[in-house]
Amino acid sequence: MHPPDAGDFGRPIDLDEAEDLLRCICFKNGPPRTVGVEVEWLIHELERPERPVPADRIAAAHDQVRSLQLKSALTFEPGGQLELSSLPAASLMECIDSTAADLDAVRSALRPAGLTLTGLGLDPWHPPRRLLHEPRYDAMEAYLDRTGPAGRAMMCTSASIQVCLDAGEAEPGPLGYGRRWQLAHLLGAVLMAAFANSPAEKGSYTGWRSTRQAVWSALDDVRPVAPPLDQEPRSAWTAHALDAPVMCVRTAEGPWELPDGLTFRQWLRSGNLRRPTREDLDYHLTTLFPPVRPRGHLELRMLDAQSGEDGWLVPLAVTTALFDDAEAAETVYRTVKPLAEYAGSLPAPRNPLWVNAARHGLADPELHASAVTCFAVALEALPRIGASDAVLGAVAAFNERYVLRGRCPADDLRISSLGKELST
């Protein structure tokens, strides 16, 4: 069955149609050809990032950036974070060059206002402060408040790098979608540990290398969790999405409805409040936050934002090389496959593999050993996928500074000196 076009979004759908849609739209098959990246940034004072920026200055900065001619899609998160989402690129270098040009333009626009983009997975100083007040964010905050403070921190103080890769071929093999789905949930923990960059919150160290991942994991019992990996990916994701609670039901006027415990499957069967539509299903999928989200392509969501103007390109380059070069993908899959026993039966990111990756980074011996091999394989593969000497050098420098030493960027961050470091 072919997915309906945009003209069908307002038509109610039934359970059978929803299942067909999920199978069609979440894993689109074909040889890996494109790559994309979504880079989120905190906006801070250029000279003293530990000082809170008044809301009116953030709003003015948003307006200034909106006036730019950018190739990337520009959005702003509820706490004022800025996100650039690249167009699907035909190569790693096309993706890097396009995104880098947009980031240069954004930084140039912010600098006269005394503001800068800060690449950290979680704001180490400031408590959550919601600046965008829209019905969807009002509903999201109210829903997530039911389970504790993690929702507000996620919405307002977190920032990540999300690498978007094609789902993969229908046939088995290193570039098949089933293998890539498995690889993402094992290699993903290694990458998250290597690039962990959020050891502090509200001015104090938390004991986690990636506090951002700890925050996201604590949202509720379903939304941040991956479906079972011992099932066929399409079937597993379809069941997971339909059995997840509905965060909110949109209304034309007034606050959005917040049903209590109503799954999307139950909504389809009951028609409570109103009958759900294709548009409701699409929106529901955006409210699920697993570490790997299938959106036709694979959206890898586990990476902390990285410090420095070019820090973001290292996880993008490493991830792309390890997934899209067939030789590298085969070698790395054999490397990380034993980590499945470490993970155990619990889903990511609630299992021991993912929890220890977020807490310990590469201080964990098994994760460190895997990361050393994975980065060596990436460095061999990057020339094969057309990476420039500059990109290769950036990855090699990261490998020398962190991976080979069993360290991650979080190990370097010192709150007392962080403002000075970020402003230089």
Side-chain angles (χ1 to χ4, degrees):
M1 175 179 177
H2 295 290
D5 61 27
D8 295 316
F9 280 2
R11 176 178 59 79
I13 58 174
D14 59 22
L15 179 57
D16 289 341
E17 188 173 356
E19 289 178 337
D20 286 343
L21 285 167
L22 285 167
R23 290 175 178 276
C24 289
I25 64 180
C26 292
F27 291 91
K28 295 178 180 176
N29 294 141
R33 290 190 177 126
T34 60
V35 58
V37 68
E38 300 175 16
V39 285
E40 292 179 325
W41 303 85
L42 306 169
I43 297 179
H44 283 153
E45 290 276 3
L46 179 62
E47 299 296 335
R48 297 290 300 275
E50 72 278 10
R51 291 182 176 178
V53 182
D56 60 340
R57 287 185 64 200
I58 293 285
H62 288 182
D63 289 340
Q64 179 68 22
V65 175
R66 284 192 190 96
S67 69
L68 301 174
Q69 297 295 316
L70 304 173
K71 292 183 178 179
S72 305
L74 171 70
T75 53
F76 298 100
E77 299 300 319
Q81 310 99 304
L82 181 150
E83 177 178 292
L84 293 178
S85 301
S86 74
L87 294 173
S91 69
L92 170 65
M93 289 311 304
E94 179 183 323
C95 183
I96 287 175
D97 290 344
S98 174
T99 305
D102 285 346
L103 284 169
D104 286 345
V106 170
R107 291 191 180 97
S108 295
L110 293 177
R111 196 171 294 114
L115 300 175
T116 190
L117 300 177
T118 299
L120 293 169
L122 199 75
D123 194 311
W125 301 290
H126 309 125
R129 176 186 59 164
R130 187 155 65 95
L131 301 180
L132 301 185
H133 294 275
E134 301 173 5
R136 61 173 173 162
Y137 295 135
D138 295 343
M140 180 180 289
E141 182 178 85
Y143 175 90
L144 294 174
D145 277 350
R146 295 171 177 173
T147 53
R152 295 194 180 204
M154 176 276 285
M155 293 173 65
C156 300
T157 61
S158 70
S160 69
I161 296 170
Q162 298 174 19
V163 180
C164 299
L165 301 168
D166 289 328
E169 299 173 339
E171 297 77 13
L175 299 182
Y177 80 94
R179 173 75 68 84
R180 286 161 75 85
W181 181 245
Q182 294 283 336
L183 181 62
H185 288 88
L186 296 175
L187 176 59
V190 178
L191 295 173
M192 188 255 287
F195 295 108
N197 193 35
S198 51
E201 183 181 22
K202 299 177 185 176
S204 299
Y205 294 105
T206 63
W208 295 81
R209 262 63 168 201
S210 179
T211 308
R212 182 199 62 83
Q213 182 61 55
V215 163
W216 280 81
S217 297
L219 293 181
D220 66 15
D221 290 334
V222 178
R223 314 201 93 81
V225 174
L229 292 184
D230 58 355
Q231 300 176 16
E232 194 280 324
R234 284 192 175 94
S235 298
W237 177 253
T238 296
H240 179 76
L242 291 175
D243 291 330
V246 174
M247 178 178 283
C248 52
V249 175
R250 296 168 300 164
T251 59
E253 297 180 359
W256 291 4
E257 299 277 354
L258 273 73
D260 189 6
L262 178 71
T263 69
F264 204 91
R265 189 187 301 275
Q266 291 169 337
W267 189 19
L268 287 162
R269 286 172 170 166
S270 67
N272 287 347
L273 303 176
R274 61 172 174 78
R275 293 183 62 194
T277 67
R278 162 72 186 273
E279 190 176 18
D280 292 317
L281 178 60
D282 288 344
Y283 180 76
H284 174 65
L285 295 177
T286 70
T287 70
L288 304 180
F289 311 119
V292 184
R293 187 163 64 183
R295 302 184 61 187
H297 56 273
L298 298 182
E299 183 183 80
L300 280 68
R301 304 172 48 83
M302 72 288 295
L303 302 171
D304 282 357
Q306 298 294 292
S307 303
E309 291 194 359
D310 298 326
W312 60 274
L313 66 80
V314 176
L316 170 61
V318 170
T319 304
T320 304
L322 296 181
F323 274 85
D324 285 2
D325 180 83
E327 182 180 340
E330 182 64 29
T331 301
V332 168
Y333 181 72
R334 292 197 302 268
T335 298
V336 301
K337 190 175 180 180
L339 295 177
E341 184 176 347
Y342 187 171
S345 59
L346 293 176
R350 299 280 176 81
N351 62 50
L353 172 66
W354 281 78
V355 171
N356 286 332
R359 185 180 291 278
H360 302 299
L362 295 188
D364 179 285
E366 291 189 57
L367 287 162
H368 178 220
S370 295
V372 168
T373 299
C374 291
F375 270 73
V377 172
L379 285 165
E380 292 178 356
L382 281 166
R384 294 196 295 266
I385 65 170
S388 68
D389 289 343
V391 170
L392 196 62
V395 174
F398 187 97
N399 187 46
E400 290 283 344
R401 181 174 181 178
Y402 296 114
V403 178
L404 295 179
R405 300 179 182 181
R407 296 172 57 80
C408 60
D411 294 319
D412 282 353
L413 296 182
R414 299 291 179 267
I415 297 176
S416 60
S417 61
L418 191 53
K420 181 179 179 181
E421 291 174 1
L422 291 174
S423 64
T424 57

